[in-house]
Amino acid sequence: MSCLEKFRQLLHERGFRLTPQRELILEALHDVQGCITAEALYERVHGIDPGIDLATIYRTLELLANIDFVKCIDTGHKEKLWQFLGTTQPQPHLRCEACGQLIDCRQEELAPLREALRRRYGFEPNLGHLTIPGTCLQCQKAG
Amino acid sequence: MSCLEKFRQLLHERGFRLTPQRELILEALHDVQGCITAEALYERVHGIDPGIDLATIYRTLELLANIDFVKCIDTGHKEKLWQFLGTTQPQPHLRCEACGQLIDCRQEELAPLREALRRRYGFEPNLGHLTIPGTCLQCQKAG
DNA sequence: ATATCTGCAAAGGATTTGCAAGTGG
DNA sequence: CCACTTGCAAATCCTTTGCAGATAT
């Protein structure tokens, strides 16, 4: 099933509707490599349909996040970033505090972390929503 | 050396000044258990010196964060939280996405994580600034 | 003396919301 | 039909900033 079909179905199950705006936003997100801000997404979509409003972007992003079609990444700065997931699982990120770079991380790498937190604190981490701050290799070398 | 003395010294080294407002804010933070919002801190301090301004709270918190006297915790919601450190090291936190609870975590628990990230990505995590989202034990039981 | 600080008030900026008109199913 | 959506504009909300007078050292 295509993303669009799945989207339509999930919306329908919840009594929501598939509008041209939502379809357009889904498509634009699909084309993005990595993450994008709401504003940048707006500009992309606005290039195709100048009638679309920024509020619609925000409302649709929230909708998509609720059904796990996109992941919202808190950068620690003011702007949030949004990443298209489609049917893939969200993954942890490493964020360099020096250069701002986001590095994709594999969940498997963090299996020992999950175990330690479960055992020690009874805490079930949501690794797909985890962003680890630190310093990337390049910035370490740079000073 | 007391916190206040150390504060005075660090300020002096940088050409800054110890004002009654800064002293009061440091004292109020010192008395807080765990974390506090800028607004709540303002109310505490305002109770003692009604002349103090919220802008001074923010400016002082930033100053204190720069010299690692307080840690700024991004909750993922709008408001930041501030935690007094004094001379202790910042520690990681576990944040329950269901109830919002913040749990202190010991850096030692995360030693394997540090190793894994170093080895696999050459990434040096800043564990003192790490906040791990997930579900706490109580909320898991509650459903 | 003088560079740093403060209170005040106003601005900022990403995000959200109220509302009336539009539209998908 | 009619509940859900949209565009528009205004509002939010925490936080930041400009400025002139006050103050630490």
Short mmCIF file of all heavy atoms in Angstrom, two decimals, chain A residues 26-89:
data_model
loop_
_atom_site.label_atom_id
_atom_site.label_comp_id
_atom_site.label_asym_id
_atom_site.label_seq_id
_atom_site.Cartn_x
_atom_site.Cartn_y
_atom_site.Cartn_z
N LEU A 26 1.98 15.95 2.41
CA LEU A 26 2.56 14.61 2.54
C LEU A 26 3.59 14.36 1.45
O LEU A 26 4.68 13.86 1.70
CB LEU A 26 1.45 13.56 2.45
CG LEU A 26 1.93 12.11 2.62
CD1 LEU A 26 2.40 11.88 4.04
CD2 LEU A 26 0.84 11.12 2.25
N GLU A 27 3.22 14.77 0.24
CA GLU A 27 4.10 14.57 -0.90
C GLU A 27 5.41 15.34 -0.74
O GLU A 27 6.50 14.82 -0.98
CB GLU A 27 3.38 15.07 -2.16
CG GLU A 27 3.68 14.33 -3.43
CD GLU A 27 2.70 14.78 -4.53
OE1 GLU A 27 1.47 14.62 -4.33
OE2 GLU A 27 3.17 15.30 -5.54
N ALA A 28 5.30 16.59 -0.30
CA ALA A 28 6.48 17.43 -0.13
C ALA A 28 7.40 16.85 0.93
O ALA A 28 8.62 16.80 0.77
CB ALA A 28 6.07 18.85 0.24
N LEU A 29 6.80 16.36 2.02
CA LEU A 29 7.60 15.76 3.08
C LEU A 29 8.32 14.52 2.57
O LEU A 29 9.47 14.26 2.93
CB LEU A 29 6.68 15.35 4.25
CG LEU A 29 6.42 16.40 5.29
CD1 LEU A 29 5.30 15.95 6.21
CD2 LEU A 29 7.69 16.67 6.10
N HIS A 30 7.62 13.77 1.77
CA HIS A 30 8.14 12.54 1.21
C HIS A 30 9.42 12.80 0.41
O HIS A 30 10.35 11.99 0.41
CB HIS A 30 7.06 11.93 0.31
CG HIS A 30 7.30 10.49 -0.03
ND1 HIS A 30 8.22 10.09 -0.96
CD2 HIS A 30 6.73 9.36 0.44
CE1 HIS A 30 8.20 8.77 -1.05
NE2 HIS A 30 7.32 8.31 -0.21
N ASP A 31 9.45 13.96 -0.24
CA ASP A 31 10.58 14.29 -1.11
C ASP A 31 11.79 14.82 -0.35
O ASP A 31 12.88 14.91 -0.91
CB ASP A 31 10.17 15.36 -2.13
CG ASP A 31 9.18 14.79 -3.14
OD1 ASP A 31 9.05 13.56 -3.21
OD2 ASP A 31 8.53 15.60 -3.85
N VAL A 32 11.58 15.20 0.91
CA VAL A 32 12.67 15.81 1.67
C VAL A 32 13.66 14.74 2.12
O VAL A 32 13.27 13.68 2.58
CB VAL A 32 12.11 16.54 2.91
CG1 VAL A 32 13.24 16.96 3.84
CG2 VAL A 32 11.27 17.72 2.50
N GLN A 33 14.94 15.05 1.99
CA GLN A 33 15.97 14.20 2.57
C GLN A 33 16.21 14.70 3.98
O GLN A 33 16.50 15.87 4.18
CB GLN A 33 17.26 14.30 1.77
CG GLN A 33 17.15 13.74 0.35
CD GLN A 33 16.84 12.24 0.35
OE1 GLN A 33 17.35 11.50 1.20
NE2 GLN A 33 16.01 11.81 -0.58
N GLY A 34 16.09 13.84 4.97
CA GLY A 34 16.35 14.25 6.34
C GLY A 34 15.24 15.11 6.92
O GLY A 34 14.07 14.84 6.71
N CYS A 35 15.64 16.17 7.62
CA CYS A 35 14.68 16.96 8.39
C CYS A 35 14.39 18.30 7.73
O CYS A 35 15.15 18.77 6.91
CB CYS A 35 15.21 17.21 9.79
SG CYS A 35 15.64 15.71 10.65
N ILE A 36 13.30 18.90 8.15
CA ILE A 36 12.93 20.19 7.60
C ILE A 36 12.15 20.97 8.65
O ILE A 36 11.49 20.38 9.50
CB ILE A 36 12.08 19.99 6.31
CG1 ILE A 36 11.93 21.29 5.54
CG2 ILE A 36 10.73 19.37 6.63
CD1 ILE A 36 11.33 21.10 4.15
N THR A 37 12.25 22.28 8.60
CA THR A 37 11.46 23.11 9.51
C THR A 37 10.08 23.33 8.91
O THR A 37 9.88 23.18 7.71
CB THR A 37 12.11 24.49 9.71
OG1 THR A 37 12.12 25.18 8.46
CG2 THR A 37 13.52 24.38 10.25
N ALA A 38 9.13 23.71 9.75
CA ALA A 38 7.77 23.99 9.29
C ALA A 38 7.81 25.10 8.24
O ALA A 38 7.13 25.03 7.21
CB ALA A 38 6.89 24.38 10.47
N GLU A 39 8.62 26.09 8.51
CA GLU A 39 8.73 27.23 7.61
C GLU A 39 9.25 26.82 6.22
O GLU A 39 8.69 27.23 5.19
CB GLU A 39 9.68 28.26 8.23
CG GLU A 39 9.81 29.56 7.49
CD GLU A 39 8.54 30.42 7.58
OE1 GLU A 39 7.86 30.35 8.61
OE2 GLU A 39 8.25 31.13 6.59
N ALA A 40 10.30 26.00 6.21
CA ALA A 40 10.89 25.56 4.94
C ALA A 40 9.90 24.67 4.18
O ALA A 40 9.81 24.74 2.95
CB ALA A 40 12.20 24.82 5.19
N LEU A 41 9.18 23.85 4.92
CA LEU A 41 8.18 23.00 4.29
C LEU A 41 7.10 23.87 3.66
O LEU A 41 6.63 23.62 2.54
CB LEU A 41 7.58 22.05 5.33
CG LEU A 41 6.48 21.11 4.83
CD1 LEU A 41 7.00 20.20 3.73
CD2 LEU A 41 5.94 20.29 5.99
N TYR A 42 6.73 24.90 4.40
CA TYR A 42 5.74 25.84 3.91
C TYR A 42 6.18 26.43 2.58
O TYR A 42 5.41 26.52 1.63
CB TYR A 42 5.53 26.96 4.93
CG TYR A 42 4.73 28.14 4.43
CD1 TYR A 42 3.39 27.99 4.09
CD2 TYR A 42 5.32 29.38 4.29
CE1 TYR A 42 2.66 29.07 3.63
CE2 TYR A 42 4.59 30.46 3.84
CZ TYR A 42 3.27 30.30 3.51
OH TYR A 42 2.54 31.37 3.05
N GLU A 43 7.45 26.81 2.49
CA GLU A 43 7.93 27.44 1.26
C GLU A 43 7.90 26.48 0.08
O GLU A 43 7.57 26.85 -1.03
CB GLU A 43 9.30 28.05 1.48
CG GLU A 43 9.11 29.40 2.16
CD GLU A 43 10.37 30.04 2.68
OE1 GLU A 43 11.46 29.71 2.19
OE2 GLU A 43 10.23 30.88 3.59
N ARG A 44 8.26 25.23 0.36
CA ARG A 44 8.19 24.21 -0.68
C ARG A 44 6.76 24.09 -1.20
O ARG A 44 6.50 24.12 -2.41
CB ARG A 44 8.59 22.85 -0.13
CG ARG A 44 10.06 22.58 -0.20
CD ARG A 44 10.34 21.17 0.31
NE ARG A 44 11.74 20.84 0.08
CZ ARG A 44 12.15 19.83 -0.66
NH1 ARG A 44 11.30 19.01 -1.23
NH2 ARG A 44 13.44 19.61 -0.84
N VAL A 45 5.84 23.89 -0.28
CA VAL A 45 4.46 23.65 -0.66
C VAL A 45 3.84 24.90 -1.28
O VAL A 45 3.09 24.82 -2.25
CB VAL A 45 3.64 23.21 0.58
CG1 VAL A 45 2.18 23.07 0.22
CG2 VAL A 45 4.18 21.91 1.11
N HIS A 46 4.23 26.04 -0.74
CA HIS A 46 3.71 27.30 -1.23
C HIS A 46 4.11 27.54 -2.69
O HIS A 46 3.38 28.17 -3.45
CB HIS A 46 4.24 28.44 -0.36
CG HIS A 46 3.53 29.74 -0.55
ND1 HIS A 46 4.04 30.75 -1.32
CD2 HIS A 46 2.35 30.18 -0.09
CE1 HIS A 46 3.20 31.77 -1.31
NE2 HIS A 46 2.16 31.45 -0.58
N GLY A 47 5.26 26.99 -3.07
CA GLY A 47 5.71 27.11 -4.46
C GLY A 47 4.78 26.40 -5.42
O GLY A 47 4.67 26.77 -6.59
N ILE A 48 4.11 25.37 -4.91
CA ILE A 48 3.20 24.59 -5.76
C ILE A 48 1.78 25.15 -5.67
O ILE A 48 1.11 25.33 -6.67
CB ILE A 48 3.23 23.11 -5.33
CG1 ILE A 48 4.66 22.57 -5.48
CG2 ILE A 48 2.25 22.29 -6.18
CD1 ILE A 48 4.87 21.23 -4.81
N ASP A 49 1.33 25.40 -4.43
CA ASP A 49 0.01 25.98 -4.23
C ASP A 49 0.15 27.24 -3.37
O ASP A 49 0.18 27.15 -2.15
CB ASP A 49 -0.91 24.96 -3.55
CG ASP A 49 -2.24 25.59 -3.15
OD1 ASP A 49 -2.49 26.77 -3.51
OD2 ASP A 49 -3.03 24.92 -2.47
N PRO A 50 0.23 28.40 -4.01
CA PRO A 50 0.46 29.65 -3.28
C PRO A 50 -0.69 29.99 -2.33
O PRO A 50 -0.56 30.88 -1.51
CB PRO A 50 0.57 30.70 -4.39
CG PRO A 50 0.82 29.92 -5.65
CD PRO A 50 0.12 28.62 -5.47
N GLY A 51 -1.80 29.28 -2.46
CA GLY A 51 -2.93 29.60 -1.61
C GLY A 51 -2.82 28.99 -0.22
O GLY A 51 -3.55 29.35 0.69
N ILE A 52 -1.89 28.08 -0.06
CA ILE A 52 -1.82 27.35 1.21
C ILE A 52 -1.29 28.23 2.34
O ILE A 52 -0.49 29.13 2.12
CB ILE A 52 -0.96 26.07 1.05
CG1 ILE A 52 -1.45 25.00 2.03
CG2 ILE A 52 0.50 26.39 1.27
CD1 ILE A 52 -1.03 23.62 1.64
N ASP A 53 -1.75 27.94 3.54
CA ASP A 53 -1.40 28.78 4.69
C ASP A 53 -0.47 28.06 5.65
O ASP A 53 -0.54 26.84 5.81
CB ASP A 53 -2.69 29.17 5.41
CG ASP A 53 -2.44 30.30 6.39
OD1 ASP A 53 -2.43 31.46 5.94
OD2 ASP A 53 -2.25 30.02 7.58
N LEU A 54 0.38 28.84 6.31
CA LEU A 54 1.32 28.26 7.27
C LEU A 54 0.58 27.51 8.39
O LEU A 54 1.05 26.47 8.86
CB LEU A 54 2.20 29.37 7.85
CG LEU A 54 3.33 28.95 8.78
CD1 LEU A 54 4.22 27.89 8.17
CD2 LEU A 54 4.17 30.17 9.17
N ALA A 55 -0.57 28.03 8.79
CA ALA A 55 -1.34 27.36 9.84
C ALA A 55 -1.73 25.95 9.42
O ALA A 55 -1.76 25.03 10.24
CB ALA A 55 -2.58 28.16 10.18
N THR A 56 -2.01 25.78 8.14
CA THR A 56 -2.37 24.46 7.63
C THR A 56 -1.17 23.51 7.71
O THR A 56 -1.33 22.32 8.00
CB THR A 56 -2.87 24.56 6.18
OG1 THR A 56 -3.99 25.45 6.15
CG2 THR A 56 -3.30 23.21 5.64
N ILE A 57 0.01 24.05 7.45
CA ILE A 57 1.22 23.25 7.59
C ILE A 57 1.34 22.74 9.03
O ILE A 57 1.52 21.54 9.27
CB ILE A 57 2.48 24.08 7.25
CG1 ILE A 57 2.38 24.67 5.84
CG2 ILE A 57 3.74 23.24 7.43
CD1 ILE A 57 2.56 23.69 4.73
N TYR A 58 1.21 23.64 9.98
CA TYR A 58 1.34 23.24 11.38
C TYR A 58 0.27 22.23 11.77
O TYR A 58 0.54 21.23 12.43
CB TYR A 58 1.24 24.47 12.29
CG TYR A 58 2.55 25.21 12.40
CD1 TYR A 58 2.72 26.45 11.80
CD2 TYR A 58 3.62 24.67 13.11
CE1 TYR A 58 3.93 27.14 11.90
CE2 TYR A 58 4.82 25.35 13.21
CZ TYR A 58 4.97 26.59 12.61
OH TYR A 58 6.15 27.26 12.71
N ARG A 59 -0.96 22.49 11.35
CA ARG A 59 -2.04 21.57 11.71
C ARG A 59 -1.82 20.19 11.10
O ARG A 59 -2.07 19.16 11.74
CB ARG A 59 -3.39 22.17 11.29
CG ARG A 59 -3.81 23.32 12.20
CD ARG A 59 -5.23 23.82 11.94
NE ARG A 59 -5.29 24.74 10.81
CZ ARG A 59 -5.92 25.93 10.83
NH1 ARG A 59 -6.54 26.33 11.92
NH2 ARG A 59 -5.95 26.70 9.76
N THR A 60 -1.32 20.16 9.88
CA THR A 60 -1.10 18.88 9.21
C THR A 60 0.09 18.14 9.82
O THR A 60 0.05 16.92 9.97
CB THR A 60 -0.90 19.10 7.70
OG1 THR A 60 -2.04 19.79 7.19
CG2 THR A 60 -0.74 17.78 6.98
N LEU A 61 1.14 18.90 10.17
CA LEU A 61 2.29 18.25 10.80
C LEU A 61 1.89 17.59 12.11
O LEU A 61 2.31 16.48 12.41
CB LEU A 61 3.42 19.27 11.03
CG LEU A 61 4.23 19.64 9.79
CD1 LEU A 61 5.19 20.78 10.10
CD2 LEU A 61 5.00 18.43 9.27
N GLU A 62 1.06 18.28 12.86
CA GLU A 62 0.62 17.70 14.12
C GLU A 62 -0.19 16.43 13.88
O GLU A 62 -0.02 15.41 14.55
CB GLU A 62 -0.22 18.71 14.90
CG GLU A 62 -0.36 18.28 16.35
CD GLU A 62 -1.41 19.10 17.10
OE1 GLU A 62 -1.83 20.15 16.58
OE2 GLU A 62 -1.81 18.66 18.19
N LEU A 63 -1.06 16.51 12.89
CA LEU A 63 -1.86 15.34 12.51
C LEU A 63 -0.96 14.18 12.11
O LEU A 63 -1.14 13.04 12.56
CB LEU A 63 -2.75 15.74 11.33
CG LEU A 63 -3.70 14.70 10.76
CD1 LEU A 63 -4.79 14.39 11.75
CD2 LEU A 63 -4.30 15.20 9.45
N LEU A 64 0.03 14.46 11.27
CA LEU A 64 0.93 13.42 10.80
C LEU A 64 1.77 12.83 11.94
O LEU A 64 2.06 11.64 11.95
CB LEU A 64 1.85 13.99 9.71
CG LEU A 64 1.17 14.24 8.36
CD1 LEU A 64 2.03 15.17 7.49
CD2 LEU A 64 0.92 12.93 7.62
N ALA A 65 2.13 13.70 12.88
CA ALA A 65 2.91 13.22 14.02
C ALA A 65 2.07 12.28 14.88
O ALA A 65 2.57 11.29 15.41
CB ALA A 65 3.44 14.39 14.83
N ASN A 66 0.78 12.60 15.00
CA ASN A 66 -0.10 11.77 15.82
C ASN A 66 -0.25 10.36 15.28
O ASN A 66 -0.47 9.42 16.04
CB ASN A 66 -1.49 12.41 15.92
CG ASN A 66 -1.50 13.55 16.90
OD1 ASN A 66 -0.63 13.65 17.77
ND2 ASN A 66 -2.46 14.44 16.76
N ILE A 67 -0.16 10.22 13.97
CA ILE A 67 -0.28 8.88 13.40
C ILE A 67 1.08 8.32 13.02
O ILE A 67 1.18 7.36 12.27
CB ILE A 67 -1.23 8.88 12.17
CG1 ILE A 67 -0.69 9.80 11.08
CG2 ILE A 67 -2.65 9.29 12.57
CD1 ILE A 67 -1.52 9.76 9.79
N ASP A 68 2.14 8.95 13.56
CA ASP A 68 3.52 8.47 13.36
C ASP A 68 3.96 8.45 11.91
O ASP A 68 4.75 7.59 11.51
CB ASP A 68 3.69 7.08 13.99
CG ASP A 68 3.77 7.17 15.50
OD1 ASP A 68 4.35 8.13 16.00
OD2 ASP A 68 3.23 6.27 16.18
N PHE A 69 3.45 9.38 11.13
CA PHE A 69 3.93 9.51 9.76
C PHE A 69 5.12 10.44 9.70
O PHE A 69 5.92 10.38 8.78
CB PHE A 69 2.81 10.05 8.84
CG PHE A 69 2.17 9.00 8.01
CD1 PHE A 69 1.57 7.91 8.60
CD2 PHE A 69 2.16 9.09 6.62
CE1 PHE A 69 0.98 6.92 7.84
CE2 PHE A 69 1.57 8.10 5.85
CZ PHE A 69 0.97 7.02 6.46
N VAL A 70 5.22 11.32 10.66
CA VAL A 70 6.41 12.15 10.78
C VAL A 70 6.86 12.14 12.24
O VAL A 70 6.08 11.87 13.15
CB VAL A 70 6.18 13.63 10.36
CG1 VAL A 70 5.66 13.73 8.94
CG2 VAL A 70 5.25 14.33 11.33
N LYS A 71 8.15 12.43 12.41
CA LYS A 71 8.71 12.54 13.74
C LYS A 71 9.07 14.00 13.98
O LYS A 71 9.62 14.65 13.10
CB LYS A 71 9.96 11.68 13.85
CG LYS A 71 10.72 11.84 15.15
CD LYS A 71 12.03 11.05 15.13
CE LYS A 71 12.86 11.39 16.36
NZ LYS A 71 14.17 10.73 16.35
N CYS A 72 8.74 14.50 15.14
CA CYS A 72 9.08 15.86 15.51
C CYS A 72 10.36 15.82 16.35
O CYS A 72 10.42 15.13 17.35
CB CYS A 72 7.95 16.48 16.32
SG CYS A 72 8.35 18.10 16.96
N ILE A 73 11.37 16.55 15.90
CA ILE A 73 12.65 16.56 16.60
C ILE A 73 12.88 17.91 17.25
O ILE A 73 12.87 18.94 16.58
CB ILE A 73 13.82 16.27 15.63
CG1 ILE A 73 13.61 14.92 14.97
CG2 ILE A 73 15.16 16.33 16.35
CD1 ILE A 73 14.51 14.68 13.79
N ASP A 74 13.06 17.87 18.55
CA ASP A 74 13.32 19.11 19.28
C ASP A 74 14.82 19.37 19.25
O ASP A 74 15.60 18.60 19.76
CB ASP A 74 12.83 18.97 20.72
CG ASP A 74 12.69 20.32 21.37
OD1 ASP A 74 13.57 21.17 21.15
OD2 ASP A 74 11.70 20.53 22.08
N THR A 75 15.20 20.50 18.63
CA THR A 75 16.62 20.76 18.42
C THR A 75 17.26 21.45 19.61
O THR A 75 18.47 21.61 19.64
CB THR A 75 16.81 21.70 17.22
OG1 THR A 75 16.08 22.91 17.48
CG2 THR A 75 16.27 21.07 15.96
N GLY A 76 16.44 21.85 20.57
CA GLY A 76 17.01 22.58 21.69
C GLY A 76 17.07 24.07 21.36
O GLY A 76 17.26 24.89 22.24
N HIS A 77 16.94 24.43 20.10
CA HIS A 77 16.82 25.82 19.73
C HIS A 77 15.34 26.13 19.61
O HIS A 77 14.51 25.36 20.06
CB HIS A 77 17.57 26.10 18.43
CG HIS A 77 19.01 25.71 18.54
ND1 HIS A 77 19.47 24.50 18.09
CD2 HIS A 77 20.06 26.36 19.08
CE1 HIS A 77 20.78 24.43 18.37
NE2 HIS A 77 21.16 25.54 18.95
N LYS A 78 14.99 27.25 18.99
CA LYS A 78 13.58 27.57 18.98
C LYS A 78 12.79 26.71 18.00
O LYS A 78 11.69 26.28 18.30
CB LYS A 78 13.33 29.05 18.71
CG LYS A 78 14.50 29.84 18.19
CD LYS A 78 14.21 31.34 18.25
CE LYS A 78 15.33 32.11 18.91
NZ LYS A 78 15.02 33.52 19.12
N GLU A 79 13.37 26.48 16.83
CA GLU A 79 12.60 25.78 15.81
C GLU A 79 12.64 24.27 15.95
O GLU A 79 13.68 23.68 16.18
CB GLU A 79 13.13 26.15 14.42
CG GLU A 79 12.56 27.43 13.87
CD GLU A 79 13.07 27.70 12.48
OE1 GLU A 79 14.24 27.39 12.19
OE2 GLU A 79 12.30 28.20 11.66
N LYS A 80 11.49 23.66 15.78
CA LYS A 80 11.42 22.21 15.72
C LYS A 80 11.79 21.76 14.32
O LYS A 80 11.66 22.51 13.35
CB LYS A 80 10.00 21.73 16.02
CG LYS A 80 9.57 21.93 17.45
CD LYS A 80 8.09 21.56 17.61
CE LYS A 80 7.58 21.93 18.98
NZ LYS A 80 6.10 21.98 19.02
N LEU A 81 12.22 20.50 14.21
CA LEU A 81 12.46 19.89 12.90
C LEU A 81 11.50 18.74 12.73
O LEU A 81 11.10 18.09 13.70
CB LEU A 81 13.90 19.38 12.81
CG LEU A 81 14.99 20.43 12.70
CD1 LEU A 81 16.36 19.78 12.67
CD2 LEU A 81 14.78 21.28 11.44
N TRP A 82 11.15 18.47 11.47
CA TRP A 82 10.20 17.40 11.16
C TRP A 82 10.83 16.45 10.17
O TRP A 82 11.47 16.87 9.20
CB TRP A 82 8.92 18.01 10.60
CG TRP A 82 8.29 19.01 11.53
CD1 TRP A 82 8.61 20.33 11.63
CD2 TRP A 82 7.28 18.77 12.51
NE1 TRP A 82 7.84 20.93 12.60
CE2 TRP A 82 7.02 19.99 13.15
CE3 TRP A 82 6.57 17.63 12.90
CZ2 TRP A 82 6.07 20.12 14.17
CZ3 TRP A 82 5.63 17.76 13.90
CH2 TRP A 82 5.39 18.99 14.52
N GLN A 83 10.67 15.16 10.43
CA GLN A 83 11.25 14.15 9.56
C GLN A 83 10.16 13.19 9.09
O GLN A 83 9.41 12.66 9.91
CB GLN A 83 12.33 13.38 10.32
CG GLN A 83 13.00 12.30 9.48
CD GLN A 83 14.16 11.65 10.23
OE1 GLN A 83 14.07 11.42 11.43
NE2 GLN A 83 15.23 11.36 9.52
N PHE A 84 10.14 12.96 7.80
CA PHE A 84 9.17 12.03 7.24
C PHE A 84 9.53 10.60 7.64
O PHE A 84 10.69 10.21 7.57
CB PHE A 84 9.13 12.15 5.72
CG PHE A 84 8.17 11.20 5.08
CD1 PHE A 84 6.81 11.39 5.23
CD2 PHE A 84 8.62 10.12 4.34
CE1 PHE A 84 5.90 10.52 4.65
CE2 PHE A 84 7.71 9.25 3.75
CZ PHE A 84 6.35 9.44 3.90
N LEU A 85 8.55 9.83 8.07
CA LEU A 85 8.80 8.44 8.43
C LEU A 85 8.11 7.49 7.46
O LEU A 85 8.66 6.48 7.08
CB LEU A 85 8.28 8.15 9.84
CG LEU A 85 9.00 8.83 10.99
CD1 LEU A 85 8.28 8.53 12.30
CD2 LEU A 85 10.45 8.39 11.05
N GLY A 86 6.88 7.83 7.07
CA GLY A 86 6.11 6.90 6.26
C GLY A 86 5.85 5.67 7.08
O GLY A 86 5.26 5.75 8.14
N THR A 87 6.35 4.55 6.64
CA THR A 87 6.10 3.32 7.38
C THR A 87 7.33 2.86 8.15
O THR A 87 7.30 1.82 8.81
CB THR A 87 5.66 2.21 6.42
OG1 THR A 87 6.62 2.11 5.37
CG2 THR A 87 4.31 2.55 5.81
N THR A 88 8.43 3.66 8.08
CA THR A 88 9.63 3.25 8.81
C THR A 88 9.55 3.70 10.26
O THR A 88 8.83 4.62 10.60
CB THR A 88 10.90 3.83 8.17
OG1 THR A 88 10.90 5.25 8.38
CG2 THR A 88 10.95 3.55 6.68
N GLN A 89 10.33 3.04 11.11
CA GLN A 89 10.34 3.37 12.53
C GLN A 89 11.17 4.62 12.78
O GLN A 89 12.18 4.83 12.11
CB GLN A 89 10.94 2.21 13.32
CG GLN A 89 10.02 1.01 13.41
CD GLN A 89 8.72 1.37 14.09
OE1 GLN A 89 8.71 1.93 15.17
NE2 GLN A 89 7.60 1.08 13.43
#
